[in-house]
Amino acid sequence: MADALAKSGFIGKDDEHAAPKTFVLWRPTAKTGLMGWLTTVDHKRIGFLYGISALTFFLIGGIEALLIRTQLIVPNNHFLSAQQYNEMFTMHATTMIFLAIMPLSAAFFNFIMPLQIGARDVAFPRLNAFSYWVFLAGAIIINLGWFMKDGAPNGGWFGYTPLTTKLFSPNHAIDMWVMGLQLLGVASIAASLNFIITIINLRAPGMTMMRLPVFTWMTLVTAFLLILAFPAITIALVELMMDRLFGTNFFEVSNGGMPILWTHLFWVFGHPEVYILILPGMGVISEILPTFARKPLFGYPIVVFSGASIGFLGFGVWSHHMFTTGLGTMGTAAFALTTMVIAVPTGVKIFNWIGTLWGGHISMRTPMLFALGFIWMFMLGGFSGVMHAAAPADAEQHNSYFVVAHFHYVLIGGSLFSLLAGIHYWFPLMFGRKVSEFWGKLSFWIVFCGFNITFFPMHFLGLNGMPRRTFTYDHNMGWDTGNMIATIGAFILGIGVAVYFIVMIYTFFKGERTYQDPWDARTLEWSLPCPPPEYNYRVIPTVHARDNWWYQKHHKEEIAKENAEHAKAEEAHGGIHMPFQSIYPFIAALGILIGAIGVSVIDPDPGPGLIGKKLAVSLIGFLIFFVAVCLWSLEGNEGYHIHPKAEKESET
Amino acid sequence: MSTAAAGAIDHHHDPTTSTGIPNKKLLMWAFLASDCMFFGCLISTHLIYRLHPPPGVPAARDVFSIELTSFSTFILLMSSLMMALAVDAIQKGNVKSLRTSLLTTILFGSIFLGCQVYEFNNFVFEKHLTITNSILGSTFFTLTGTHGTHVAIGVLWLTLMYIRSFKPAGAEAARGTWLLLSFVHLVVFMATLGLSMYLVLHFARAAQAGGFGLHTCLHFGKVEYKAILGAIVGFLGVRWFALPRGPVDFDQRHAIDVEMMGLYWHFVDIVWIVIFTAVYLLEYIK
């Protein structure tokens, strides 16, 4: 992998790279090999790291899903035990949401967003690396249970108390889940802060907010959702952790604790979270449709404002997850109303996408197929979503397979389809190779069919009363056929995903080469060579229009003149500034990992003694973190300069 | 750029960013927005459980000592003033004045922390309010403890900034030496601070038990002579580290770093005003 990338010309020459080599504050210079990846601060490479991790966890989560479906294929099945089944559905959801879809979005934020705004990197490159490594630490903690006697977390992805309190879940599985999610929160917030500052402060000249590509806009909205929603679950997790480790009473009913508090805090996070999952996808779709319909996005300001208002409204609908908890008439009515309101901007977006297609010169390439599949499937998921807004109906559907069908339509049909579309769309830019149309389209149709065969029957299963999270069911309930079809569908979906990724891997090594702008696209990132050089833009572009690359293609002389001037000015300032690489983000995250293992995995010592093993490991982890952060800040944000012109000559 | 060479730095405008706001300042603002949500959730938790108390939960009014907390609140407020002076000093390039203000801020922050340690001790051992024995204890200690952790991180950050202000100019060649020296500086500083806090707290307890008189002082000196000696040596060490040693690599260019830290400090202060009002003062209505 590293070799292939090195060969692909992705990595700049580092002849100008004279990092001071001293006692401790040495600056690593390796661009390839393990050290190159551990110390990288390049947003594109960090994007790859996110992407690879996300796809790995996506496959793990997929296998968990297949095991779940295998268990449910026939009534009274004993393929999995009830305990294993609980672990499977908990880990399937946790993995898919936090370790697959979110980091896959983060991969696109990292790789695409700075390119779209004409920046050379994010605002804080080392913080960006830190975010990734902390994410990985959290992912490791959550999955550690598979290899331990305590087993994987089994309290559901929502972790409802009092099921997850010490009384009912005495072993470390839940501790690891609690700790891992907190780390993922730290990673998400750090990364989002970075994206916010980057979008607000690092735009190329002329790139006003209302000229930002929609994907970048949705990155901004998602980042704000992340920094404002994650604290709620973090505090809920802290309170649960305090209950579990120190015996506090937040959710201890016998001492006045109220489990409903957890439910509220969780869904105050949990509902913005679903928009965190879908908004990046909506951004991707808003990039793909104009490119393949060959006309500008219909109603750009409305699409942007709809996205932003979804972000705002997303904080006011959480209790629709809790209609059956007895909110009272007033609360129920209010949340039913806000839930119906939030469907409006979503619907507006769908009409804008249809408006973009209307009268366009549509070319049916693979990314476009996935994008159209997204619109259709997401709409179906949206319809069943609005059905839940009606509180009386929701009381019937609550905790049934109808809900499972609904959120898989928005998560797979919505988020996943759009991200798969995004991978196809940006693959040429990332790797300089293009997926074969035949295999791409074939994988789409298998995924599309498998997905519908799996989840459409679940609507009926749910309406016929099949509860979710049930590990098996009786023969005479009338659920046999639906489950059989769903499981067959799941395996078809699995085959589709496998085809998709095998084709991707093949393309990575052997695909057709592409050079620049293979889709005849509209936004700035396509003005770069494929794959883009380390410094992204040889000359920071000046933005004249919303679809600036389209403008550039039709004003070549003006742009060439402008670029030549800017290149001269930049060279006069000493060339392109690149940040030094750094090992400390990685070490800081390593310290966090060790500390988290101390807190969540190690047993408290029964004996006396001043410092037990648990405390010792936690403190060592904290010390490593602290020292790494100090050295990180002392090494400074210096960098070096490269002169891409000279490089070009040496290449030819 | 030419203005920078002339010595005048515009602290409120960074020409290299799209908005003119420095990246670091914007980062801190966005982080504080996020931190607002953290504290919002904790304060809500406390208030919800305060409004729905289970039977047998102790009355907060019987536990709190409003005089002490008012005093520590006042001290924390004043520390914000000193923090503002520190930012002002470094924006004018006055490192000496910066150090004085930083030290005062650290001192006031430590007094606040000391008051919290005293308060927690008092609640646990005399008022029998612990983190486990009632829901009030759980929410109160978690909320104020989280705030205290923020203050402690702030004190640590201030100390690191103070030590950083001694980095000699042109230290690239002797980076390792300076690093080692500043590490010792940090350890001595923190040990001195810790010892002083320990002594003050123990003296307060001794004075409470035996009255504030010559006898108590002498007895205290006899019992704690090791710690007192250690603190004196520590103070001398900190003083020695602060001796002037030629030009330093710390000036107006670092004002943004101090300002960012200041934003954090003021925010933590404001959060305390909210906590003081919501958790303490509201108990005294009617």
Side-chain angles (χ1 to χ4, degrees):
Chain A
M1 166 91 203
D3 282 351
L5 281 172
K7 266 183 240 148
S8 74
F10 176 78
I11 287 151
K13 308 251 184 318
D14 56 343
D15 45 335
E16 302 285 323
H17 198 162
K21 280 201 172 156
T22 44
F23 182 44
V24 199
L25 297 172
W26 54 279
R27 302 308 290 255
T29 55
K31 296 271 175 184
T32 50
L34 181 65
M35 212 48 189
W37 286 96
L38 289 185
T39 62
T40 187
V41 293
D42 181 349
H43 70 96
K44 297 182 289 301
R45 306 184 99 198
I46 293 170
F48 283 143
L49 289 173
Y50 267 114
I52 295 290
S53 322
L55 295 179
T56 311
F57 285 112
F58 177 66
L59 293 182
I60 295 174
I63 291 167
E64 286 156 5
L66 289 180
L67 292 174
I68 291 173
R69 282 316 315 171
T70 310
Q71 162 66 20
L72 292 175
I73 187 166
V74 287
N76 295 317
N77 199 359
H78 285 282
F79 176 70
L80 297 175
S81 70
Q83 168 69 15
Q84 284 167 334
Y85 187 86
N86 290 348
E87 291 176 4
M88 285 304 158
F89 77 67
T90 303
M91 288 305 291
H92 167 67
T94 308
T95 304
M96 285 305 197
I97 290 169
F98 294 103
L99 309 181
I101 304 279
M102 282 177 71
L104 203 52
S105 306
F108 284 122
F109 295 165
N110 262 298
F111 198 102
I112 301 300
M113 182 273 288
L115 302 182
Q116 284 194 328
I117 61 172
R120 290 210 170 111
D121 208 325
V122 290
F124 300 94
R126 289 178 295 163
L127 184 66
N128 201 22
F130 175 74
S131 308
Y132 170 73
W133 295 115
V134 175
F135 154 75
L136 194 63
I140 290 172
I141 294 279
I142 289 182
N143 279 288
L144 218 51
W146 293 119
F147 309 104
M148 295 172 53
K149 66 170 173 20
D150 289 348
N154 55 0
W157 87 282
F158 38 82
Y160 284 160
T161 56
L163 179 63
T164 41
T165 56
K166 197 103 192 158
L167 185 63
F168 299 103
S169 298
N171 66 29
H172 288 311
I174 298 295
D175 288 329
M176 286 182 258
W177 181 82
V178 166
M179 197 67 228
L181 279 193
Q182 287 181 62
L183 296 193
L184 294 182
V186 171
S188 296
I189 289 175
S192 303
L193 292 173
N194 218 337
F195 296 144
I196 291 173
I197 315 306
T198 306
I199 295 173
I200 293 180
N201 256 357
L202 260 58
R203 284 167 286 137
M207 179 64 90
T208 58
M209 289 308 269
M210 288 316 276
R211 280 180 184 166
L212 287 179
V214 177
F215 177 72
T216 299
W217 253 112
M218 292 307 112
T219 307
L220 184 65
V221 175
T222 309
F224 268 108
L225 283 178
L226 277 162
I227 65 164
L228 297 176
F230 251 94
I233 193 178
T234 306
I235 290 304
L237 291 165
V238 165
E239 291 176 352
L240 181 58
M241 191 173 77
M242 296 286 285
D243 271 8
R244 294 180 61 88
L245 290 181
F246 304 116
T248 53
N249 305 304
F250 288 105
F251 309 113
E252 176 52 56
V253 183
S254 65
N255 250 339
M258 292 187 283
I260 192 82
L261 176 69
W262 169 274
T263 324
H264 275 291
L265 284 177
F266 182 83
W267 287 113
V268 165
F269 151 79
H271 204 81
E273 170 71 17
V274 308
Y275 296 107
I276 290 167
L277 297 171
I278 194 66
L279 285 173
M282 291 177 164
V284 173
I285 296 306
S286 307
E287 298 295 324
I288 291 176
L289 291 179
T291 300
F292 294 98
R294 315 198 54 69
K295 67 194 267 260
L297 185 68
F298 181 80
Y300 169 95
I302 304 298
V303 174
V304 168
F305 286 132
S306 306
S309 60
I310 289 175
F312 277 111
L313 293 172
F315 280 98
V317 296
W318 78 88
S319 282
H320 67 212
H321 297 269
M322 302 165 60
F323 280 148
T324 53
T325 56
L327 295 166
T329 353
M330 199 59 192
T332 305
F335 280 102
L337 206 62
T338 52
T339 308
M340 290 176 196
V341 168
I342 203 168
V344 175
T346 318
V348 168
K349 281 192 156 200
I350 288 181
F351 281 111
N352 276 288
W353 291 324
I354 295 173
T356 307
L357 296 172
W358 186 278
H361 185 79
I362 295 173
S363 74
M364 273 294 177
R365 311 299 288 270
T366 316
M368 186 63 165
L369 274 186
F370 274 103
L372 294 177
F374 163 91
I375 298 182
W376 188 9
M377 292 301 107
F378 179 70
M379 226 158 62
L380 286 184
F383 290 157
S384 52
V386 180
M387 289 169 75
H388 293 140
D394 181 74
E396 281 295 311
Q397 295 145 5
H398 189 83
N399 260 354
S400 75
Y401 260 79
F402 192 83
V403 178
V404 179
H406 157 69
F407 68 69
H408 280 92
Y409 264 84
V410 286
L411 278 177
I412 297 183
S415 305
L416 188 68
F417 271 31
S418 60
L419 292 172
L420 294 182
I423 293 176
H424 262 293
Y425 180 56
W426 279 305
F427 201 87
L429 180 67
M430 290 173 172
F431 303 105
R433 289 180 193 277
K434 203 154 82 173
V435 180
S436 114
E437 281 298 313
F438 171 78
W439 286 102
K441 283 179 179 161
L442 181 72
S443 70
F444 167 75
W445 285 112
I446 306 176
V447 167
F448 184 82
C449 296
F451 163 67
N452 278 294
I453 298 170
T454 314
F455 294 103
F456 205 75
M458 289 189 189
H459 289 108
F460 302 111
L461 284 174
L463 292 178
N464 285 336
M466 179 166 169
R468 61 193 283 211
R469 303 180 200 119
T470 184
F471 109 98
T472 190
Y473 52 93
D474 232 4
H475 169 61
N476 55 5
M477 302 297 286
W479 302 334
D480 298 10
T481 326
N483 275 304
M484 177 62 91
I485 296 173
T487 303
I488 293 170
F491 279 95
I492 298 175
L493 180 57
I495 291 169
V497 170
V499 171
Y500 183 98
F501 284 107
I502 291 168
V503 172
M504 281 297 162
I505 293 167
Y506 175 82
T507 310
F508 179 81
F509 293 105
K510 293 267 165 78
E512 178 199 345
R513 290 288 304 176
T514 56
Y515 296 96
Q516 192 190 21
D517 193 19
W519 309 117
D520 196 11
R522 318 182 69 84
T523 42
L524 213 44
E525 76 269 26
W526 294 105
S527 66
L528 294 167
C530 306
E534 192 191 12
Y535 45 80
N536 298 352
Y537 289 94
R538 197 172 65 81
V539 179
I540 295 290
T542 306
V543 178
H544 301 275
R546 201 166 273 159
D547 287 346
N548 199 55
W549 174 231
W550 195 261
Y551 180 89
Q552 287 186 11
K553 282 191 275 194
H554 293 91
H555 297 77
K556 280 191 178 137
E557 279 175 29
E558 177 197 342
I559 298 296
K561 212 174 120 199
E562 198 177 71
N563 280 354
E565 270 171 39
H566 290 178
K568 216 184 271 171
E570 190 143 25
E571 199 53 40
H573 282 166
I576 295 175
H577 177 89
M578 298 296 295
F580 278 138
Q581 284 165 250
S582 172
I583 188 71
Y584 295 116
F586 173 74
I587 296 186
L590 189 69
I592 289 184
L593 176 66
I594 295 172
I597 288 177
V599 171
S600 63
V601 180
I602 294 174
D603 283 309
D605 299 69
L610 191 59
I611 291 184
K613 203 165 110 200
K614 191 181 183 69
L615 190 58
V617 174
S618 312
L619 283 179
I620 288 170
F622 176 76
L623 260 181
I624 294 174
F625 169 73
F626 176 70
V627 170
V629 168
C630 287
L631 293 176
W632 173 346
S633 74
L634 286 174
E635 71 177 2
N637 54 0
E638 296 140 9
Y640 59 102
H641 287 91
I642 41 180
H643 307 275
K645 239 192 191 148
E647 205 168 277
K648 238 185 189 167
E649 280 159 21
S650 69
E651 268 172 22
T652 52
Chain B
M1 278 296 126
S2 57
T3 51
I9 295 178
D10 181 358
H11 301 288
H12 306 290
H13 191 81
D14 182 348
T16 61
T17 65
S18 309
T19 54
I21 305 166
N23 284 341
K24 284 182 180 176
K25 195 191 259 187
L26 206 55
L27 177 79
M28 189 42 84
W29 278 113
F31 167 72
L32 295 182
S34 186
D35 218 15
C36 269
M37 299 298 288
F38 279 103
F39 278 109
C41 293
L42 275 173
I43 294 172
S44 314
T45 302
H46 176 84
L47 291 181
I48 287 166
Y49 281 133
R50 182 64 193 79
L51 290 175
H52 302 279
V57 83
R61 238 166 128 160
D62 301 339
V63 179
F64 291 164
S65 151
I66 194 71
E67 296 84 358
L68 178 76
T69 317
S70 306
F71 167 72
S72 66
T73 305
F74 176 72
I75 287 288
L76 196 63
L77 268 181
M78 290 302 107
S79 78
S80 253
L81 172 67
M82 299 320 291
M83 188 67 239
L85 290 180
V87 174
D88 184 61
I90 193 63
Q91 283 183 348
K92 290 175 182 152
N94 189 343
V95 181
K96 216 177 151 195
S97 164
L98 164 84
R99 286 180 192 146
T100 319
S101 303
L102 282 185
L103 282 179
T104 328
T105 318
I106 293 170
L107 177 70
F108 285 5
S110 309
I111 292 176
F112 177 83
L113 284 176
C115 286
Q116 198 167 38
V117 172
Y118 179 88
E119 186 189 43
F120 279 19
N121 251 308
N122 178 264
F123 288 2
V124 170
F125 293 111
E126 280 156 50
K127 310 278 176 56
H128 304 293
L129 178 79
T130 71
I131 197 163
T132 51
N133 71 1
S134 74
I135 192 79
L136 178 72
S138 299
T139 60
F140 172 81
F141 286 117
T142 308
L143 170 57
T144 52
T146 305
H147 180 268
T149 310
H150 273 74
V151 178
I153 291 171
V155 168
L156 187 61
W157 192 356
L158 285 159
T159 310
L160 290 169
M161 192 66 80
Y162 169 77
I163 291 170
R164 172 66 179 74
S165 77
F166 289 100
K167 183 181 179 185
E172 293 309 311
R175 252 176 150 172
T177 327
W178 176 74
L179 207 64
L180 199 67
L181 206 67
S182 57
F183 175 72
V184 178
H185 193 168
L186 176 67
V187 171
V188 171
F189 194 101
M190 279 304 166
T192 313
L193 197 63
L195 265 181
S196 316
M197 264 169 87
Y198 167 88
L199 282 174
V200 171
L201 284 169
H202 276 247
F203 185 71
R205 185 178 289 172
Q208 242 177 0
F212 185 70
L214 192 61
H215 175 72
T216 316
C217 293
L218 285 175
H219 182 72
F220 183 73
K222 217 160 81 184
V223 179
E224 298 285 0
Y225 73 96
K226 276 185 196 154
I228 293 172
L229 269 179
I232 291 171
V233 172
F235 272 115
L236 290 175
V238 171
R239 184 73 198 97
W240 181 80
F241 275 109
L243 290 177
R245 284 186 187 76
V248 289
D249 172 27
F250 201 83
D251 50 39
Q252 280 156 318
R253 286 172 297 123
H254 302 92
I256 181 66
D257 300 299
V258 180
E259 191 177 352
M260 187 182 170
M261 179 172 71
L263 284 176
Y264 172 84
W265 189 262
H266 298 316
F267 172 77
V268 172
D269 206 357
I270 291 167
V271 168
W272 181 253
I273 307 243
V274 177
I275 294 179
F276 182 60
T277 311
V279 176
Y280 291 87
L281 286 185
L282 282 184
E283 300 288 347
Y284 292 86
I285 292 178
K286 72 185 161 173

